Every structure is written in structure tokens, then in C-alpha cells.
Amino acid sequence: MLTASFEKYVLQFKSPSGTSRGILRTKDTYFITLNNGKNTAIGEAALFRGLSADDVPNYEEKLATVCNEIAFYKDNYHETLKQFPSIVFGLEQAFLKLKNKADFCFDNDFTVGKKGIPINGLIWMGTETFMQKQIEDKLKQGFHCIKMKIGAIGFDKEIALLKNLREKFSAKKLELRVDANGAFAPNEAMEKLQELAQLQLHSIEQPIKQGQQNEMEKLCASTPLPIALDEELIGIFELKEKQALLDKIKPQYIILKPALVGGFISCDEWIKLAEERNIGWWITSALESNIGLDAIAQYTASKSTSMYQGLGTGQLFTNNTPSTLSIIDARLWRLI
């Protein structure tokens, strides 16, 4: 007999982490445990407060209902729980583990420790000194792709940091990405994109806030710098909605966060649509615990892509779950 339960877990940041949405000190997440009488499996329903489409008052009530009625949901959760993408993500992990009768979701060279995934080094917002220190640390660690969050300390200061990096390392030596998290106003975005483009950046994520499709369409049509949609994908559940979004905005890239877009099957759908339209993509984690991060990394490794991926390192939290994940030569490895 299949049974399910869940528990809330509060991840504690080692130090406050800055984004354009504010300072993060803790991160709520939920662990779903499935048991079929023979095996037990855990998946992470990685809710992101203030960002997830399913950040609603009755979230825990819904989780309880799903667990109490798991026999009903087990065969149809991808459809019936579309409005709760983080729950779909958690169930997907647990069911894949039960199916595999093991503590992994996808069986590939990464999962068994034979291959690493190239990832970007993430620079969190903060003071200029703090951000510069992070950059220096990432370079010492051998990262060839740096992604910097911008939109908090002032554009001039952020440009100065990026210029300093580019003066030391050419675009062939160091790939630079920026993530604006919607920080630019539509009427100033193009001017800022033009200034950023002079630094030979790889791309910019979400220059303006999501939900402004006409403005984003105009930017993507004439941008001097490739634009990647990120938050724009959140809350888009139906296939026709996904098609319409890509056909209207025509971005250069999309960024897939499984916990926010509805799990791996939804990511597969986005990837198929993107590739049909010659839109690039990569996969990013979103402050999951090591349980969710491990699953996302396994999924990422199952895809044929040589791009740098935006996977976390599991090192942000003081009380993260046990993990075999490790960073070696700017690649994420699963050491078995």
C-alpha cells in the first residue's frame, strides 16, 4: 500500500544573500516521503516564497490533501497539480526513486560519479567589496563562467565590476552572464543593454519584470545582448500558453528551474518548444536543499548540452541535508 507524508524544513543561510527582491536569511522547503511497503523515497517540494506560482495561503493544506489521497494523485499529479509546480517537482523525484528502487532519479554518468557538469560561478548581490571578493574566489576556484546578479548596488558600480573583469579576461577566456531579476524599467532597459553589450556578455536574464510581454518582445527583437527569460516562465502551465509566450516574445534563451516550472516533464516540454524555435536554454536550481539540487543535477546530466548550467553548490546553508555533491574544477560532481 502506498503512503505519503510531508514535513517542513527551514534552510538557514550561512550569510544573508542579496537579490533584487531583497535579502534572504532563511528558505522554507518541504520534504515528501513515499513508502510502497518495500521502499521509501524522499522528494523535495521546493517552494520559493514570493516567487513560486504556488506560494499560496493553503499550500500546506494542499500538501496534506495530496499525501492523504496519494493513491488518487499517483497517476495523474502532473495534470491535476499543475497549479502547484513545486509539489509536482517533489512527487516526481520521489516516484522516480521508487521506480528505480534506489536513491536516484536518473541513471547516467553523472549519477554514478563518472562525469561532472560544467556550471557557472554565481556572484550574489552585496557591497562592491563583497561582490569583488566573491569574483576573486570564483576565479581562484577555476570557474570559466561567472554569473553576476545586478540591480541592487547601482548600475554604475555593477558596470565597473564587470569592466574590471573583462579588462583582465577576454570573452574567450571568461564567459560573463548577468541576472537582472527584472530590475530595469522598460524605458531604460535598452540603454542599459547597449552599455552591457560593450562588455561582450553572454546574456542577461530577465532585464525587466515578468508580465510585460509587449515590452519584452520589443527588447528581444532589437537587443544587442542575448536575453534569457527566467521569471517570465513562472505560472505558465499549459502547452498552448508556453507556445504563445515563446512565439510572441521570441527570446534568445530560456532558463528552466524545475521547482518553479512544474518538474522535469514540464522542463522537457519547454525544451522541445524552445528547440523547435531555435531558442537556447539551460537549467538552473533555485535554492533547493541538496535533495532537490541532486535531482536537478541528475536531470541536467541526462540532456545533451555543453553549456554552462546554473546549478547551485549546496554550500549556502548551515543546515543543508547530507550530500555527495562536490565542486571540482568548476564542475558539479556526484561522488559515490
Side-chain angles (χ1 to χ4, degrees):
M1 178 182 174
L2 182 67
T3 61
S5 61
F6 78 91
E7 66 170 315
K8 181 179 179 179
Y9 193 77
V10 182
L11 293 158
Q12 307 283 340
F13 281 85
K14 289 179 180 177
S15 58
S17 297
T19 73
S20 60
R21 283 183 291 271
I23 304 296
L24 302 175
R25 292 180 173 82
T26 62
K27 164 77 165 51
D28 292 350
T29 198
Y30 295 84
F31 298 135
I32 299 173
T33 301
L34 300 182
N35 187 295
N36 63 4
K38 295 180 180 179
N39 297 290
T40 298
I42 298 175
E44 180 178 2
L47 181 70
F48 198 132
R49 299 283 183 198
L51 185 59
S52 294
D54 49 0
D55 180 15
V56 292
N58 68 328
Y59 183 84
E60 291 188 15
E61 183 181 328
K62 187 66 177 183
L63 255 181
T65 298
V66 170
C67 289
N68 290 336
E69 301 175 14
I70 193 63
F72 167 77
Y73 284 103
K74 71 182 179 70
D75 294 321
N76 62 24
Y77 66 91
H78 283 106
E79 286 299 320
T80 56
L81 295 174
K82 275 185 177 177
Q83 304 293 323
F84 291 85
S86 66
I87 297 179
V88 170
F89 174 62
L91 288 173
E92 211 170 29
Q93 296 162 58
F95 277 118
L96 283 168
K97 290 174 183 177
L98 280 185
K99 180 182 176 182
N100 293 331
K101 299 178 183 178
D103 192 29
F104 62 80
C105 301
F106 299 90
D107 189 4
N108 51 51
D109 283 348
F110 169 79
T111 302
V112 297
K114 292 182 179 178
K115 190 174 182 180
I117 302 170
I119 61 173
N120 60 232
L122 179 60
I123 308 303
W124 288 88
M125 290 176 177
T127 64
E128 285 177 89
T129 303
F130 173 65
M131 293 178 76
Q132 185 62 46
K133 175 68 166 58
Q134 290 180 82
I135 290 169
E136 290 169 3
D137 289 344
K138 296 300 180 188
L139 292 173
K140 285 178 184 175
Q141 292 165 25
F143 282 91
H144 299 289
C145 177
I146 298 289
K147 171 182 156 182
M148 194 171 100
K149 288 184 173 289
I150 61 175
I153 65 170
F155 190 66
D156 290 343
K157 292 178 181 178
E158 291 158 351
I159 282 284
L161 285 170
L162 291 165
K163 276 184 178 175
N164 184 46
L165 257 179
R166 186 50 83 221
E167 285 170 1
K168 294 177 181 176
F169 302 95
S170 69
K172 289 184 179 180
K173 293 282 187 181
L174 182 68
E175 185 172 296
L176 287 178
R177 301 174 178 176
V178 294
D179 182 2
N181 285 131
F184 301 163
N187 62 355
E188 66 179 10
M190 183 55 73
E191 183 181 344
K192 291 186 174 181
L193 290 177
Q194 289 169 346
E195 193 167 351
L196 288 166
Q198 295 174 19
L199 301 175
Q200 295 179 281
L201 302 188
H202 171 271
S203 57
I204 180 170
E205 297 179 31
Q206 205 70 43
I208 63 174
K209 284 190 172 117
Q210 70 267 38
Q212 304 177 87
Q213 290 192 15
N214 291 335
E215 289 82 357
M216 189 69 88
E217 178 189 5
K218 291 174 187 174
L219 284 178
C220 288
S222 55
T223 181
L225 174 63
I227 290 174
L229 301 187
D230 180 0
E231 289 92 343
E232 204 76 53
L233 309 187
I234 297 172
I236 308 297
F237 303 122
E238 302 299 332
L239 177 62
K240 287 184 178 179
E241 291 179 318
K242 295 175 181 179
Q243 291 172 326
L245 179 77
L246 296 182
D247 287 340
K248 179 173 178 58
I249 297 179
K250 298 180 179 64
Q252 284 73 40
Y253 294 102
I254 60 171
I255 296 170
L256 299 166
K257 294 176 175 171
L260 296 178
V261 301
F264 306 125
I265 285 183
S266 180
C267 285
D268 285 344
E269 207 167 67
W270 278 113
I271 288 171
K272 183 174 183 293
L273 293 175
E275 290 182 342
E276 288 171 353
R277 292 158 175 78
N278 294 314
I279 295 169
W281 57 270
W282 67 88
I283 296 165
T284 300
S285 54
L287 300 178
E288 298 83 4
S289 78
N290 283 325
I291 291 174
L293 174 59
D294 188 19
I296 293 171
Q298 293 171 41
Y299 171 74
T300 303
S302 73
K303 302 299 173 185
S304 298
T305 175
S306 59
M307 286 188 70
Y308 294 106
Q309 303 297 304
L311 302 179
T313 61
Q315 299 169 359
L316 284 174
F317 307 113
T318 61
N319 61 337
N320 210 335
T321 52
S323 173
T324 60
L325 298 175
S326 183
I327 305 296
I328 303 173
D329 295 330
R331 289 175 177 257
L332 186 65
W333 289 82
R334 194 173 194 259
L335 304 180
I336 305 300

